[in-house]
Amino acid sequence: MTERADQTAVGHHHDDLDTTGLAYSGRAPSHAEMAGRARRFGAWYYAETTLRGMRAYLVPNAITAIGQPLLYIIAMGLGLGALVGSGVGTVDGVDYLTFVAPALLVSTVVMSVTGEMTYPVMAGFKWMRTYYGPGATALRPDQIALGHLLAVVIRFVVQSAIFWVIAVAFGATTLGWSVLMVPIGVLAAVAFGAPLQAYAASLEGEGFQFSFVQRFIVMPMFLFSGTFFPLSVMPVYLQWIGWLSPVWHGTQLARVASYGAEVPGWLIAVHVVVLAAAGLAGVLWARRVYARRLIS
Amino acid sequence: MSVLDRTGGPAGAASLAEPGARSSVRSVLERGFTVIRNQNWIILVSGFFEPVFYLLAMGIGMGTLVGAVEGPGGREITYAAFIAPALLATSAMNGAFYDSTWNVFFKLRFAKLYEAMLQTSLSPWNVALGEILMALFRGLLYAVGFLGVLAIMGLVTSWWALAMVPVAVLIAFGFAALGMGVTSYMTRFQQMDLLNFVMLPMFLFSATLYPITVYPEAVQWVVMALPLWHAVELMRQLSVGHLTWITAVHVGYFVGMVGAGLWLTTTRLRALFLR
């Protein structure tokens, strides 16, 4: 016992120890020490695991992260923009490319989060059971849920940043405050992704649910959230889709950051509160569902 | 042998006992419809809503920003009327293509369904044609539904629009035949993602949401090589009843695509399983 206590003491002095190397050398920190670290930093540990897993899809993910902004900015911003230019001319006081670029950033990130928070969550519980191994360690279920979300957030920080750089390169926005589009895009992604994660975790088996989410929530959200045109041009009976949609709230914020769209201060506050509340509610819900399924 | 027959299914057990009794493309279709009836009809039906959502959002919303657009023959048409035929062509493509790629990939690599089918007296030709006909059925369903929506929205102005239904099936045939052949080369899930990298740009750049004339001429030639562009143009011409000799070129493109796709798929199935 005393020997082990000594090792624990040593471990405290070197918090950045290479624990894997130590384990091979037989001088790993004690189990209690390792468990203590897992309890403190478990979410980060799980996020690291998930990110390492994502490396298998690095090439397709990178192509998506670079290809999507290029495709959408060229097709929608320039192609469709040419039509709008010969139609009404400017939208919201700016040319169409400037108007649509922040919306494209937000909606592509939110659409990508759907992929990360449906099938991989189902795989974690059912197909590959990747949650159960970590679940059997000192990690708590809520850390696993949060860790998965953190990894996804890190991925989307990178993806949004790439989009922003490409938007700047195309002259769709200018350097400066527009960089706030990156955290705004990630916030919108969490506002949709966290509740979706909880919902996916609550499903026992895969059926038509994910296809339904894709067809009846994600697709309408993309199309009816004032992405391609101001929400106000839609008839009122379709505008509510935008009001409920994280894409619209995120898009409006991103427009303010990108070209200073005229949004009153109270409405900016509403957008931020709605997104933060949805994300928080999702995280809390996910904690409960993960705890129920991993502790039995 | 009789034991196997009994486990194979109670319904046609007796007739299946005779070797080759119904081993034709019909058996493949029968299986396809059974699966739809038992499992995925709800997914199938939900696919109909995608082009409708697009039409509502872009037609109504973008329409207010864009105004009138030059349609086939130089006539001014509303933006909704401009994109509606393109969305029908895209939906025919998507329905058939996903049916014949992801669906087929799963059956080929995971469920090993074709391996099992070819152990019977079914030929590669039977299997390929059966699967492609299933994809066509889906295309037909969506085309009829979408044409109904167009009629309700007042976007149908010519009797030629009725021809959009068989033409949607032809478009679906082209994509399904080629899609299944291409899928036979895929061995891993990640490779399937490549299909998305082809499909999304094709949808965005095939003059679906704006006229091809916004591109520089060199880009126009590239777009004109894409199958979806021919599908979109064909549908657009039919929607207003403006037919020219180019209509025949578009139809010819798809007839050729069907032939090439069928040949590729059958050859590949033979190479994969009947060595």
Side-chain angles (χ1 to χ4, degrees), chain B residues 22-23 63 66 93 118 121 132 154 170 178 195 197 217 226-227 232 243 263:
Chain B
R22 284 191 306 169
S23 60
V66 168
M93 168 185 85
L118 292 170
S121 49
I132 290 164
L170 176 68
L178 200 64
L195 297 176
F197 297 134
E217 205 184 319
L226 299 174
V232 167
L243 277 70
W263 173 81

Side-chain angles (χ1 to χ4, degrees), chain B residues 5 48 107 149:
Chain B
D5 285 340
F48 156 78
K107 289 175 182 170
V149 173

Side-chain angles (χ1 to χ4, degrees), chain A residues 56-57 60 63-64 68 70-72 74-76 79-80 82-84 86-89 91 96 207-208 211-212 215-216 219-220 222-224 228-230 233-235 237-238, chain B residues 39 42-44 46-50 52-58 60-62 64-67 69 79 82 138 142 190 193-194 197 200-201 203-205 209-211 214-215:
Chain A
Y57 307 98
I63 297 176
T64 307
Q68 260 187 349
L70 285 176
L71 289 179
Y72 278 121
I74 295 173
M76 299 300 190
L80 206 51
L83 273 193
V84 176
S86 57
V88 291
V91 186
Y96 190 67
F208 50 80
S211 300
F212 258 54
R215 289 234 163 90
F216 293 108
M219 210 51 183
F222 176 59
L223 290 169
F224 294 94
F228 299 110
F229 40 82
V233 308
M234 293 301 272
Y237 62 85
L238 289 174
Chain B
Q39 288 171 9
I42 205 157
I43 297 180
L44 192 111
S46 77
F48 156 78
F49 287 94
E50 212 163 285
V52 175
F53 287 155
Y54 255 98
L55 183 64
L56 276 179
M58 301 306 266
I60 297 175
M62 282 310 292
T64 61
L65 300 185
V66 168
V69 189
Y79 186 63
F82 178 76
R138 190 162 159 169
Y142 291 170
Q190 285 88 326
D193 282 333
L194 291 171
F197 297 134
L200 180 66
F203 167 59
L204 289 174
F205 294 115
L209 299 175
Y210 45 84
V214 308
Y215 299 121

Side-chain angles (χ1 to χ4, degrees), chain A residues 46 50 54 57 112-132 141 144-152 156 189 192-207 209-210 213 282 285-294:
Chain A
Y46 193 76
T50 312
M54 280 182 196
Y57 307 98
S112 304
V113 88
T114 313
E116 292 286 359
M117 286 311 188
T118 47
Y119 294 102
V121 173
M122 179 64 76
F125 283 114
K126 186 171 175 167
W127 297 327
M128 329 253 291
R129 297 179 69 84
T130 41
Y131 288 148
Y132 288 93
I144 293 174
L146 192 62
H148 190 158
L149 186 64
L150 277 175
V152 170
F156 288 127
F192 184 66
L196 184 60
Q197 182 187 13
Y199 172 68
S202 73
L203 297 175
E204 297 289 336
E206 76 277 21
Q209 288 95 338
F210 291 155
V213 168
W285 180 22
R287 284 170 71 125
R288 286 175 57 128
V289 181
Y290 275 62
R292 177 166 57 75
R293 290 196 71 172
L294 291 176

Side-chain angles (χ1 to χ4, degrees), chain B residues 174-243:
Chain B
F175 279 103
L178 200 64
M180 193 169 168
V182 169
T183 305
S184 68
Y185 288 99
M186 309 282 186
T187 49
R188 288 182 300 145
F189 263 113
Q190 285 88 326
Q191 293 172 331
M192 293 298 286
D193 282 333
L194 291 171
L195 297 176
N196 292 339
F197 297 134
V198 179
M199 299 302 277
L200 180 66
M202 187 143 78
F203 167 59
L204 289 174
F205 294 115
S206 292
T208 36
L209 299 175
Y210 45 84
I212 193 172
T213 46
V214 308
Y215 299 121
E217 205 184 319
V219 180
Q220 289 189 19
W221 283 106
V222 177
V223 171
M224 283 193 250
L226 299 174
L228 185 59
W229 180 76
H230 291 274
V232 167
E233 286 299 302
L234 187 50
M235 285 292 191
R236 214 164 254 159
Q237 291 186 332
L238 289 174
S239 73
V240 294
H242 176 86
L243 277 70

Side-chain angles (χ1 to χ4, degrees), chain A residues 44 47-48 51 54 147-160 186:
Chain A
W44 290 106
E48 190 190 344
L51 284 171
M54 280 182 196
H148 190 158
L149 186 64
L150 277 175
V152 170
V153 162
I154 291 168
R155 181 193 150 181
F156 288 127
V157 168
V158 176
Q159 196 173 322
S160 305
V186 175

Side-chain angles (χ1 to χ4, degrees), chain B residues 21-38:
Chain B
R22 284 191 306 169
S23 60
S24 67
V25 69
R26 248 186 70 199
S27 325
V28 183
L29 291 180
E30 218 168 282
R31 182 196 174 275
F33 281 111
T34 311
V35 172
I36 290 175
R37 195 170 56 236
N38 294 345

